[in-house]
Amino acid sequence: MRLSLALVHYPVLDRAGEAVTTAITNLDLHDMARSARTYGAERLFVVHPVAAQRALAERIREHWVLGSGKRRIPDRAVALDVLSVLPSLEDVYGALSSEGRAGVEVWTTAAASRGLPVTSYAETRARLAQASRPVLILFGTGWGLTPEIIADADLRIEPIRAAASTGYNHLSVRAACAITLDRLLGDRQHAG
Amino acid sequence: MRLSLALVHYPVLDRAGEAVTTAITNLDLHDMARSARTYGAERLFVVHPVAAQRALAERIREHWVLGSGKRRIPDRAVALDVLSVLPSLEDVYGALSSEGRAGVEVWTTAAASRGLPVTSYAETRARLAQASRPVLILFGTGWGLTPEIIADADLRIEPIRAAASTGYNHLSVRAACAITLDRLLGDRQHAG
């Protein structure tokens, strides 16, 4: 099992359903790196096309992995060491496989299936355990991944849902990432 | 089932294991309110002894529930409406039951069991479904809840773990809250 995560800032949807670029949020990097490290994901790729935004993410990483942040909270260096900052998804595919996109299992997450076929968490968990290619799970910022990215995926994970219908399904990307990792890699023996 | 959450800023531990008061983090309120609402928890209590910090949390709540935030992102109003800001855990117990502490099931979460007996998520899920008193799950900020609070609990939920040993277990409180709610109230039919 080789699993990595990508936090996508472009192309993602805005409220009106238009493709936009979103800004980097400091706590996304911390929370998703800590969750990745806790569950054993190899890398967390932060995907942003704007050089100044990538430089911001690199500065956050360096502060915690090499700088004074490491002295204050050593655990955080271990987590943020999983972070890689790249301009595009194509660069991420290239970092994971010499074959690029063809060498990577690309899986998407979304709050709604929008009519496309989705795969249950139980089946996704089984496929992850058996995957021969590196697996990359994409998380969208803003109002989520664009339809083109979702259509291009090798697997679309079913939306996260509560057992009871609450009429509300708006988790933060930090929460959705944590739950996805727990459902795919968490201890199920005692988890009910 | 009547479940509420409390985000505790005092008393919690610092790095050195001393009891301290921590500052309110804006994204804690957003993420935990959105997770609470998605999974059907009734209230998210923010517990802080300092009036100026409570005023900050109230301003965040009002901006999103009543102010311009509601017009921009109406979904966020629905989530932050679950927020209640109170000075102490005793006030939270009083808000949940006329009997105070005796009328509430108080459950704790922690990254390590510290030698105290813990209850598995499977059993905790079953107990939640059958609980007759309102249940309150406590989440600590900083380096976690104090030993006194954990010892006083009616139930201590087992630490969240990955299936494989990764040697790292430092989830953010936002991630831990999301995973706890998913393990107790998430759709298990497809979740593996």
Side-chain angles (χ1 to χ4, degrees), chain B residues 88-162:
Chain B
S88 72
L89 278 174
E90 283 63 39
D91 292 299
V92 175
Y93 304 146
L96 288 173
S97 168
S98 58
E99 298 168 64
R101 172 69 184 87
V104 180
E105 288 265 348
V106 179
W107 299 355
T108 54
T109 54
S113 61
R114 300 178 200 211
L116 288 168
V118 294
T119 302
S120 73
Y121 268 96
E123 188 180 332
T124 304
R125 188 175 169 108
R127 284 194 46 178
L128 178 60
Q130 294 156 8
S132 51
R133 296 186 294 173
V135 172
L136 178 70
I137 302 182
L138 308 185
F139 293 89
T141 55
W143 270 250
L145 299 164
T146 59
E148 292 74 18
I149 289 182
I150 292 176
D152 177 61
D154 299 305
L155 183 154
R156 285 168 287 275
I157 308 176
E158 65 173 338
I160 292 166
R161 292 201 191 291

Side-chain angles (χ1 to χ4, degrees), chain A residues 168, chain B residues 29 33-34 36-37 41-44 60-62 64-66 70 74-85:
Chain A
Y168 189 89
Chain B
L29 311 191
R34 293 166 73 178
R37 191 67 186 75
E42 281 184 12
R43 307 299 305 159
L44 166 62
I60 293 168
R61 181 183 192 283
E62 280 172 24
W64 289 102
V65 173
L66 304 168
K70 179 178 184 176
D75 291 334
R76 206 57 63 84
V78 176
L80 284 168
D81 197 39
V82 305
L83 203 66
S84 294
V85 188

Side-chain angles (χ1 to χ4, degrees), chain A residues 15 31 72 174 188 190, chain B residues 15 31 72 122 174 188:
Chain A
R15 269 182 297 165
D31 282 19
R72 196 161 70 83
R174 300 167 290 280
R188 297 326 284 169
H190 304 106
Chain B
R15 271 183 295 165
D31 282 18
R72 196 161 69 85
R174 299 168 290 279
R188 295 332 275 170

Side-chain angles (χ1 to χ4, degrees), chain A residues 58-117:
Chain A
E58 292 285 8
R59 273 209 306 281
I60 292 168
R61 183 183 189 282
E62 281 171 25
H63 171 75
W64 290 102
V65 173
L66 303 168
S68 61
K70 181 180 182 175
R71 288 190 293 280
R72 196 161 70 83
I73 309 182
D75 291 333
R76 206 58 63 85
V78 176
L80 285 170
D81 197 39
V82 305
L83 203 65
S84 294
V85 188
L86 290 172
S88 72
L89 278 174
E90 283 62 40
D91 292 299
V92 176
Y93 304 146
L96 287 173
S97 168
S98 56
E99 299 168 62
R101 172 70 184 86
V104 180
E105 287 265 349
V106 179
W107 298 356
T108 54
T109 54
S113 62
R114 299 177 200 210
L116 288 167

